Amino acid sequence: MPEITANGTNSANNTNKRLIERFLDAVNERRIDDFADYLAADVIDHNKIIHGEDDRPGAAFDGFRQQLAAFGEFTAVAEQLIAEGETVVARLTVSGRHTGAHPRMPRPTHRTCSVEQIWIFTLHEGRIAEIRAVSDRLGMFLQLGWDWPA
């Protein structure tokens, strides 16, 4: 049975939320070399972070690298974290400025965007094993001046 803390929360859920907070800190601080501390080597990204990485386990590492390379300014702020067992749901505000090449728009627009996203992380053995996400892609494309894919 999971340990319940003094305020009635599950300590395992809090530990899992802290892992996601630390991962987002690594992303925001561009500590790419630290990603392996949070992502399983064979992490599966069901969403395809940038629509450019290979469709294989572990490709999310490349997806995050590409995303950070395309956005010189980038932040993912956790507005809310909900944990149950090995699942953590993060409601994020993701903001950035498009300053580098991106598979959807190779030439930087230097425009900014800020959109809400919902990421669902599945953890296994203290690492992120799966990522699913839903985001306001239309809002992002409009703010950045990108053409909507046909």
Side-chain angles (χ1 to χ4, degrees):
M1 184 150 198
E3 177 185 339
I4 304 298
T5 63
N7 66 2
T9 60
N10 178 314
S11 63
N13 287 345
N14 288 336
T15 298
N16 291 342
K17 286 183 193 179
R18 282 193 300 276
L19 175 77
I20 300 307
E21 289 170 336
R22 290 192 312 271
F23 171 65
L24 293 173
D25 288 344
V27 170
N28 290 332
E29 295 166 12
R30 298 175 177 270
R31 292 186 281 116
I32 294 168
D33 291 341
D34 292 350
F35 287 3
D37 293 342
Y38 309 103
L39 298 173
D42 59 350
V43 59
I44 302 289
D45 174 19
H46 295 281
N47 188 58
K48 302 298 172 238
I49 293 165
I50 201 165
H51 303 284
E53 71 263 29
D54 293 334
D55 187 16
R56 62 176 169 71
F61 284 89
D62 293 332
F64 280 108
R65 283 186 197 102
Q66 289 178 34
Q67 189 80 354
L68 291 173
F71 289 87
E73 299 168 17
F74 181 88
T75 57
V77 176
E79 306 292 351
Q80 184 177 20
L81 293 172
I82 302 166
E84 182 178 311
E86 292 191 326
T87 301
V88 178
V89 177
R91 183 174 60 85
L92 306 173
T93 300
V94 176
S95 304
R97 179 179 299 276
H98 179 219
T99 58
H102 185 289
R104 290 276 189 213
M105 182 60 66
R107 281 198 213 129
T109 63
H110 298 281
R111 293 173 69 172
T112 61
C113 70
S114 182
V115 295
E116 186 172 64
Q117 300 183 353
I118 305 292
W119 291 16
I120 303 170
F121 298 95
T122 303
L123 309 179
H124 183 69
E125 296 180 357
R127 298 274 192 286
I128 298 166
E130 291 183 79
I131 304 168
R132 297 179 188 274
V134 177
S135 64
D136 178 9
R137 290 214 178 110
L138 178 59
M140 181 180 87
F141 276 60
L142 289 172
Q143 291 174 56
L144 293 173
W146 294 356
D147 293 328
W148 188 252

